[in-house]
Amino acid sequence: MSTWWGLIVEETDGMGERKAYAANVLDHVEGSREEALVELEKRARGYVPQHPMNPSATRLYRTDEGFLLVSEGSMRNYGCRFSVGELLYDSVQAEKAAAAQRAAEAEEREARKRAEAEERAARKAAEKAAKRAQRGGGKWWGGSAG
């Protein structure tokens, strides 16, 4: 059974007083954890972090959780942590599934209404035909044919 994995990077985001540590999902992959780690390594090797602007050296380390990219800047070093996380819940997918369920239920209600309307129309036509047959025995103007 395959699993969906998020390829996640955590790094310093923003400048000056507005710096924060932010996590971003680079992509989702389906497969085993090992397959996800292989894909994550490819992404980590080609990743260009926000900080520093002109690194003097960059090193990529393998960790128990994934990878750590350390870039040396003129003032300080910056790190980007790469990890894989098993996707357990996705609100977007849950909403899509709920919307699809609501649409299917609405279509079912509409189909039921159409069937009921057709049934009423058929019953009404049959009642009308039965009344016509009782009134004149099938004679068009109700007079005798003779």
Side-chain angles (χ1 to χ4, degrees):
M1 181 176 113
S2 61
T3 302
W4 281 97
W5 298 92
L7 306 181
I8 301 163
V9 61
E10 299 170 86
E11 68 177 310
T12 304
D13 188 21
M15 301 286 286
E17 295 295 317
R18 297 178 190 245
K19 275 192 265 184
Y21 204 61
N24 292 302
V25 178
L26 300 171
D27 203 356
H28 289 98
V29 295
E30 186 178 14
S32 67
R33 184 172 192 278
E34 291 72 27
E35 292 168 325
L37 282 167
V38 167
E39 185 61 31
L40 182 64
E41 183 176 353
K42 290 177 193 173
R43 300 295 176 97
R45 286 182 181 276
Y47 192 78
V48 178
Q50 287 188 30
H51 299 289
M53 297 293 262
N54 298 309
S56 59
T58 301
R59 293 179 180 88
L60 181 64
Y61 299 93
R62 182 183 318 272
T63 66
D64 289 340
E65 298 82 32
F67 303 92
L68 177 63
L69 182 71
V70 179
S71 298
E72 294 178 14
S74 59
M75 303 294 259
R76 60 176 266 201
N77 294 346
Y78 291 89
C80 295
R81 185 169 303 280
F82 296 87
S83 58
V84 295
E86 182 180 358
L87 181 62
L88 300 178
Y89 173 77
D90 182 342
S91 65
V92 173
Q93 290 299 327
E95 180 52 38
K96 284 180 182 177
Q101 179 68 30
R102 288 191 300 270
E105 289 169 357
E107 178 60 33
E108 187 178 315
R109 282 192 302 275
E110 287 301 314
R112 206 171 23 249
K113 284 181 185 177
R114 282 192 300 273
E116 290 170 358
E118 289 171 5
E119 187 179 313
R120 279 193 305 275
R123 194 171 42 245
K124 196 171 188 178
E127 289 170 0
K128 219 176 200 182
K131 283 183 183 178
R132 256 189 256 126
Q134 282 178 347
R135 278 195 308 245
K139 297 175 190 162
W140 186 61
W141 61 84
S144 63

